[in-house]
Amino acid sequence: MKRGDCAARAQFEEMVSVAEDRTAGKDPALVAFGLGWDPVKRKLFGDKRDIDLNAAALLFDRTALVDVVFHEQLLSKDGSVRLLGDNLTGEGDGDDEIISVDLTRVAPGVTTILFLVTSYSGQSFDRIGNAFCRVVDSTTGSELSRKTLAHDGSTGFIAGKLTRAQQNWAYEVIGTPIEAQHPVEAIGALAPYL
């Protein structure tokens, strides 16, 4: 899917019931968190560093961090959450990094899966072309949420969270910029969203 033009920043909350987005009467089993951006434009002079954004999924049992999926650990312990590769430059169309979540396999103790974007190479989002993140129902291909990561001097972004409510999951947009080049640096900013 090509990148679209979206609102500059997410300063609102929105809830999407994953269970209500049904195909043939079944709850979706797969959700994907996609991250995309344009590679750096090479100039004769100036910053020539590649842009390396990273998608991360942090799994919580209430407020306790139990697992992390990111560029240094591509698969959760229970096998339900997987980063499908680490793009170091933003080359290619559409999603440059994808985290897939099989909601039927998430460990019973996991109550929240929080999605995070960090600029590992340190460029702020206002210096990165066409950066976006989105959540997709992989069963239908429909977008549940899409946010443009622009017009902000931050290096991290708390995109949103999947929350378990009994047998169903709901996605809530958070849309909060933070300073973090690595998921470990973001952990202190996540407590209000758990």
Side-chain angles (χ1 to χ4, degrees):
M1 178 177 250
K2 294 286 184 184
R3 297 179 184 142
D5 186 27
C6 298
R9 285 179 63 186
Q11 293 296 323
F12 60 92
E13 291 187 9
E14 115 192 0
M15 289 287 288
V16 178
S17 174
V18 176
E20 288 175 9
D21 190 14
R22 297 172 183 257
T23 304
K26 295 183 178 180
D27 291 346
L30 300 172
V31 174
F33 177 70
L35 169 63
W37 70 98
D38 286 346
V40 69
K41 291 184 168 85
R42 301 291 177 195
K43 297 179 183 177
L44 188 56
F45 301 103
D47 191 357
K48 296 179 182 175
R49 294 179 301 154
D50 284 329
I51 297 168
D52 183 7
L53 298 184
N54 285 319
L58 293 86
L59 289 70
F60 290 87
D61 179 351
R62 293 173 198 73
T63 59
L65 181 64
V66 295
D67 207 352
V68 180
V69 174
F70 66 122
H71 66 279
E72 294 174 24
Q73 179 176 307
L74 303 180
L75 185 65
S76 63
K77 295 171 193 164
D78 64 10
S80 67
V81 182
R82 176 185 304 266
L83 175 61
L84 304 179
D86 183 20
N87 185 318
L88 304 177
T89 65
E91 291 289 339
D93 290 335
D95 297 332
D96 295 311
E97 293 194 9
I98 299 171
I99 295 177
S100 67
V101 181
D102 183 342
L103 297 171
T104 66
R105 294 180 59 199
V106 176
V110 173
T111 57
T112 303
I113 302 172
L114 200 139
F115 295 113
L116 177 69
V117 177
T118 56
S119 176
Y120 189 71
S121 51
Q123 292 98 333
S124 58
F125 293 127
D126 60 348
R127 301 191 60 187
I128 301 171
N130 295 318
F132 70 91
C133 62
R134 66 191 190 129
V135 175
V136 176
D137 173 349
S138 297
T139 307
T140 65
S142 63
E143 280 188 350
L144 302 176
S145 176
R146 183 181 185 99
K147 299 295 166 219
T148 299
L149 308 174
H151 310 292
D152 187 276
S154 65
T155 57
F157 187 76
I158 305 170
K161 64 182 179 178
L162 281 166
T163 345
R164 189 190 308 255
Q166 297 176 12
Q167 298 301 319
N168 297 322
W169 290 87
Y171 181 73
E172 179 181 354
V173 172
I174 295 172
T176 300
I178 59 171
E179 288 304 315
Q181 290 180 241
H182 192 280
V184 170
E185 297 172 8
I187 291 173
L190 304 180
Y193 306 103
L194 299 175

